[in-house]
Every structure is written in structure tokens, then in C-alpha cells.
């Protein structure tokens, strides 16, 4: 169904709450690692890249479609989670509005196109439900590397006809996307680039590892200074994507909220330290081993206070899910969102289910209640949608979650995985 030019889900999720989650779930490849890595395949000359553990997500299909518009040959074996990308020949450097509108992360092709072709023309990425999502830090980095930037008629054009030159760049905010775009551009710039105050997320490390396998020389990813020695050419290579720490964290919260016992295979504890610490503070039992994490909880969770911060702080992408858990925890908790300016869209939806939450600027006060009641709610954005599913798992009666295209962007096989853990959830036509 289309409302204007926005495609709305014709489907919704129906959840009957009250089932403890028990069993074993395997985490898929990380959405926020694979999207920049797919953009980085544009740098691969001489031979294709073969990416493994690629999650079957709407966003992966979207960015792959963007690459095809540039003349790239790409084929995605969704069942085998393998993406084959041949960027040996690129015949366009322009990304159209209709695809960039669908997914802001399409803007991540600006850096590789600038490095590979010396120019790029990308539709200005719009904002979204959680914020205006500016790109000033991306553009500051490109200009520091010698690119000319022109903005007009809804497009951003960048050009560097003589090629990019290494530079010293300081990021006012450790932006994940800006760090990734600058890393990809600098990987083929002449000379050394020093990036100070970069994002330190595991997905940045994964991108740097892939670029280094392609022949780049990047040191310090995951720390507060990254050094890049530009190389004249990078080559397509095989690479395996890291597991998705936010998907893992979402199932960890689901196990805790339903007072279940779930083994989450492929979860990497190192990437989840703040989430593990907060779940333990809430009274949840966490057992970590080399292959995954077991989460169990035999009683109602105690509430916690959370404050989102850039990595290694508490991840903003886990804020909505934790709020759903706090809504039914014992006690009052504070949720402070410091990364995005409008990431409390799930509050009104949780309140429809009986949650007691009061917003005061960037902080929400959550007073835990014994039970939520199922009703019709909607996914306002990806992680808010996940929070509504979690709330439905513990609510009395039936919860219907609409606009689930948001959820399909970031969770691979959510319904099948939850059914496998004993949840009563199904996807139906709206
Ligand atoms: C990435 O978005 C993730 N998306 C987001 O995940 C995640 O929430 C975010 O990083 C923070 O961790 C992908 O990786 C595809 P940012 P990104 O640039 O790169 C401001 C999800 O649910 N900023 O670190 O857009 C910006 O306004 C999604 O999986 C500038 O001011 O995040 C925001 O307040 C949601 N100027 C803050 O930085 C800029 O040029 C964080 O943005 C860029 C960003």
C-alpha cells in the first residue's frame, strides 16, 4: 500500500503474551557492519568481493540495489547468507533519490565513490523518526581530504578530480557514519590521514578489517585515533561479517522480560559489556562462553537507570528495548538518550499498553507496573518496533504491531526465531 510515495506495510504482527522464552537462538550478521562493508565493496577492483554471514534484511536489499544502479553486479544468496559483489566496473557515480530516501545509510557510498571515481552525486538523505540525522561531519571530512562539495536541488555533489589527499581530521562528535565514510575515502587518498575522536563501535573495526583485507593500511580502529595510509588500489576479497550485537541484546532482553532461559549463540560478550552489566543489575543471570551467552531470569526484573552514549557506552540502539523491560520491572528507572534528539517515539505506544512513563526533555522516567495489556500499537522506527514486540511478549492478551516494515529492516527472521523460543507470534496481512 502506498501513502504518497511512502510504502507502508500491509502486514502486522499478532502476539499473545505470557510465554516464557526457552531454548536456543543463533544471531545473524550485523546490519550496521554489513551496510558500510557493502558500500566499501565499491573500492574493490580486479576481482569481486564475497561476503559471508550477510543477514537477509530489507536494508541489505536496498543498498545492494543502490550498487546495481551504479553498474555493479551483485547477487545475494539469502538462504546461504552470501553476497557476491563485482565492482570491477562502475558506470555511474550518482545515487537516485528514490533509493536514498528509503535508507539513509545509502549515503555511505559517497566516500568510496569519491575515492574510486573522484566524484559522487548523492540525493540528500532525509531525516527520520529519531532525528534530523545531519551529515555535516561527513562533509567536513571530505573537504579536509580535498574534495569540493556542492549542495543544490536536493543533491550533494562531491568532486576531487586530482584525487584525495591525506589530512588530519577531528570529529566534533564520534559519528559512526562519518567515521565510516571518512575511513573509506581516506583508504585511497594520497599520504596519511589521522582521524581523531572517531566512533569506536565494533562495526567500525569490522569495516577497517575488511578494508585492510582489500589492501588498505588502517591502524587504530576501535580506539580514539585512527591512522590511514592511502593506497592507489584496493582489490575485492572474501570477508565474513561479525554477529549483530543489537540483535543479540534484543533477545537477551526478551529472555529476561519473559523470565525465560535462552542460549544466544554467536553473541560476542566483548561487544555487549554495558548491556550485560545492566541486565545483571536488573537481577538477570548471565553466563558467557566462547560460543555465546545464556540469559536466564526466574523472577520479575528490578528496574535500572540507563544513559545512552557512543561506544563503549550503553548503545542507543538498545534504549527502546530496555525501556520495554523497565516498563514491567520493579521500581522507577530513568532513561536518558544523549545520542539522538527524538528517540522516545516508543513511549506513547508503550503507554497505550498501560506503561507509566513521563518524558522530560532527553530523559524519561519509567515507573514499573505489574502487567501491560495487549492492544493495537505501531512500530514508529526499527528499535521502537522491537520494543513493541518485547512488550507484546509479556502483555496480557493480544498485541497487534503495525508498520512492521521498520522491523524487517533490521531483524532477520524475527518471527521464526521467537516462535522457535516458544513465543506465540505470527505475521498476518493488515
Ligand atoms: C549509526 O547511525 C547506526 N546506523 C544507527 O543504528 C545508530 O543508532 C547510530 O550509528 C549511533 O550508534 C548504521 O550504522 C546504519 P551517527 P549514524 O552518525 O551513522 C549526529 C539502528 O537502529 N551527527 O553516529 O547515522 C547525529 O545527528 C540505527 O540500527 C551529526 O551531528 O549515527 C546523531 O545525533 C539507528 N553530524 C549522532 O551524531 C553528522 O554529520 C549520532 O549519529 C553525523 C551525525
Amino acid at each position: 500500500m502506498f501513502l504518497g510515495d511512502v510504502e507502508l506495510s500491509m502486514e502486522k504482527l499478532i502476539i499473545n503474551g505470557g510465554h516464557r522464552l526457552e531454548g536456543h537462538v543463533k544471531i545473524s550478521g550485523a546490519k550496521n557492519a554489513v551496510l558500510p562493508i557493502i558500500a566499501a565493496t565499491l573500492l574493490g577492483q580486479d576481482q569481486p568481493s564475497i561476503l559471508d554471514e550477510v543477514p537477509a534484511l530489507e536494508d541489505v536489499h536496498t543498498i545492494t540495489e543502490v550498487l546495481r544502479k551504479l553498474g555493479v553486479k551483485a547477487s545475494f544468496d539469502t538462504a546461504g547468507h552470501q553476497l557476491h559483489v563485482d565492482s570491477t566496473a562502475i558506470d555511474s557515480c550518482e545515487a537516485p533519490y528514490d533509493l536514498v530516501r528509503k535508507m539513509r545509510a545509502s549515503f555511505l557510498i559517497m566516500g568510496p565513490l569519491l575515492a574510486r571515481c573522484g566524484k559522487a552525486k548523492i540525493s540528500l538523505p532525509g531525516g527520520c523518526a529519531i532525528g534530523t540525522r545531519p551529515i555535516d561531519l561527513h562533509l567536513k571530512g571530505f573537504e579536509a581530504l580535498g574534495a569540493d562539495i556542492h549542495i543544490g536541488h536536493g543533491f550533494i555533489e562531491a568532486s576531487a578530480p586530482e584525487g584525495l589527499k591525506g589530512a588530519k581530521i577531528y570529529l566534533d562528535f564520534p559519528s559512526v557514519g562519518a567515521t565510516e565514510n571518512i575511513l573509506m575515502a581516506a583508504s585511497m587518498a594520497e599520504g596519511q590521514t589521522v582521524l581523531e575522536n572517531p566512533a569506536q563501535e565494533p562495526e567500525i573495526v569490522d569495516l577497517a578489517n575488511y578494508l585492510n583485507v582489500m589492501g588498505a593500511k588502517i591502524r587504530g580502529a576501535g580506539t580514539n585515533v585512527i591512522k590511514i595510509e592511502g593506497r592507489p588500489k584496493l582489490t575485492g576479497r572474501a570477508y565474513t561479517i561479525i554477529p549483530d550485537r543489537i540483535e543479540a541484546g534484543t533477545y537477551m532482553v526478551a529472555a529476561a522480560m519473559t523470565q525465560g532461559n535462552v542460549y544466544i549463540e554467536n553473541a560476542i560478550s566483548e561487544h555487549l559489556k554495558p548491556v550485560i552489566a545492566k541486565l545483571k543489575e536488573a537481577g538477570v543471570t548471565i553466563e558467557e562462553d566462547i560460543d555465546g551467552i545464556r540469559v536466564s531470569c526466574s523472577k520479575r526484573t528490578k528496574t535500572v537507570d540507563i544513559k545512552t552514549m557512543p561506544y563503549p557506552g550503553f548503545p542507543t540502539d538498545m534504549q527502546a528495548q530496555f525501556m520495554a523491560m523497565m516498563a514491567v520491572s520493579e521500581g522507577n528507572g530513568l532513561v536518558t538518550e544523549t545520542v539522538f534528539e527524538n528517540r522516545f517515539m516508543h513511549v506513547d505506544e508503550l503507554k497505550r499498553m498501560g506503561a507509566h512513563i513521563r518524558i522530560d526533555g532527553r530523559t524519561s522516567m519509567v515507573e514499573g507496573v505489574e502487567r501491560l495489556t495487549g492492544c493495537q500499537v505501531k512500530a514508529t522506527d526499527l528499535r521502537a518496533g522491537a520494543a513493541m514486540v518485547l512488550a507484546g511478549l509479556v502483555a496480557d492478551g493480544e498485541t497487534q504491531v503495525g508498520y512492521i516494515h521498520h522491523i524487517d529492516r533490521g531483524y532477520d527472521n524475527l518471527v521464526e526465531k521467537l516462535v522457535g523460543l516458544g513465543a506465540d507470534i505470527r505475521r498476518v496481512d493488515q
Side-chain angles (χ1 to χ4, degrees), residues 31-32 35 104-105 130 132-138 173-178 180 201 316-317 339-341 343 382-383:
K31 169 178 86 80
N32 293 347
L35 294 179
R104 305 184 60 267
I130 62 177
T132 55
R133 312 293 292 275
I135 52 168
D136 56 305
L137 297 174
H138 299 239
F173 181 88
S175 154
V176 170
E180 291 164 346
E201 275 74 358
T316 174
D317 292 348
V339 176
F340 288 105
E341 69 267 26
R343 204 169 195 174
L382 167 56
R383 306 301 174 185

Side-chain angles (χ1 to χ4, degrees), residues 6 27-28 53 57 71 81 117 141 160 189 229 255 284-285 295 297 332 351 365 387 391 409 412:
V6 176
I27 297 307
S28 301
E53 294 304 323
L57 303 174
H81 299 290
C117 313
E229 297 294 338
V284 179
T285 303
V295 178
C297 190
N332 297 346
K351 287 168 75 171
M365 154 75 90
R409 294 186 49 191
D412 188 358

Side-chain angles (χ1 to χ4, degrees), residues 87-402:
S87 299
T88 48
I90 295 176
D91 54 34
S92 164
C93 294
E94 184 170 331
Y97 170 72
D98 61 326
L99 282 172
V100 177
R101 167 185 65 81
K102 268 181 86 174
M103 185 187 65
R104 305 184 60 267
S106 312
F107 191 65
L108 290 171
I109 67 172
M110 174 74 91
L113 282 179
L114 204 42
R116 171 87 183 268
C117 313
K119 62 180 177 166
K121 183 177 179 183
I122 317 273
S123 169
L124 266 170
C128 70
I130 62 177
T132 55
R133 312 293 292 275
I135 52 168
D136 56 305
L137 297 174
H138 299 239
L139 302 182
K140 174 183 172 185
F142 295 146
E143 287 176 320
L145 293 168
D148 293 322
I149 303 287
H150 174 72
I151 296 178
H153 306 289
F155 276 91
I156 294 175
E157 289 191 76
S159 64
E162 283 79 47
L164 298 171
K165 303 260 184 306
K168 189 166 186 178
I169 302 166
Y170 173 82
L171 287 182
D172 310 274
F173 181 88
S175 154
V176 170
T179 301
E180 291 164 346
N181 245 330
I182 294 166
L183 265 192
M184 291 186 280
S187 63
M188 288 184 70
E190 186 190 330
Q192 184 186 68
T193 296
V194 178
L195 183 53
E196 295 183 332
N197 194 34
Q200 303 180 35
E201 275 74 358
E203 294 77 26
I204 303 289
V205 177
D206 212 30
L207 172 63
N209 288 342
Y210 168 61
L211 288 167
N212 283 338
V213 162
M214 294 173 85
K217 283 197 74 166
I218 300 170
R219 299 291 176 270
T223 74
N224 61 0
V225 178
I226 302 178
K227 291 183 178 171
I228 306 111
E229 297 294 338
R231 313 293 290 164
K233 183 192 258 189
L234 302 183
T235 306
R237 285 282 189 262
Y239 192 74
T240 299
I241 309 299
I242 56 169
D244 193 316
R245 61 192 168 100
I246 305 301
E247 184 193 19
T250 304
Y251 285 103
M252 291 169 76
V253 171
M257 288 176 73
T258 59
Q259 299 183 23
N261 186 328
V262 176
Y263 185 74
I264 298 159
E265 184 187 343
N266 246 6
I268 299 177
S269 303
E270 179 63 26
H271 295 169
L272 284 156
K273 285 183 176 176
V275 171
I276 290 169
K278 283 297 172 181
L279 285 174
K280 285 181 175 173
E281 200 181 310
V284 179
T285 303
I286 306 278
E287 298 161 87
E288 302 163 42
D289 67 38
I290 189 74
D291 296 320
I293 300 173
R294 178 170 294 282
V295 178
S296 59
C297 190
S298 55
K299 60 193 181 308
R300 186 181 176 195
T301 48
K302 295 193 293 294
T303 199
V304 294
D305 291 337
I306 60 169
K307 180 176 185 178
T308 68
M309 296 292 281
Y311 196 90
F314 188 92
T316 174
D317 292 348
M318 281 301 303
Q319 181 255 104
Q321 298 93 311
F322 255 74
M323 191 185 283
M325 183 176 81
M326 292 161 68
V328 291
S329 293
E330 189 183 329
N332 297 346
L334 287 179
V335 176
T336 304
E337 172 58 59
T338 73
V339 176
F340 288 105
E341 69 267 26
N342 186 35
R343 204 169 195 174
F344 284 146
M345 306 280 278
H346 40 286
V347 168
D348 284 342
E349 298 303 307
L350 288 169
K351 287 168 75 171
R352 283 176 50 75
M353 299 177 73
H356 291 177
I357 306 171
R358 190 163 43 82
I359 299 178
D360 179 8
R362 288 215 163 187
T363 297
S364 286
M365 154 75 90
V366 183
E367 178 196 337
V369 297
E370 286 278 345
R371 303 289 293 177
L372 296 175
T373 55
C375 68
Q376 285 190 308
V377 291
K378 64 177 185 289
T380 53
D381 56 87
L382 167 56
R383 306 301 174 185
M388 301 324 296
V389 171
L390 296 178
L393 292 176
V394 300
D396 275 340
E398 180 181 279
T399 299
Q400 300 192 9
V401 183

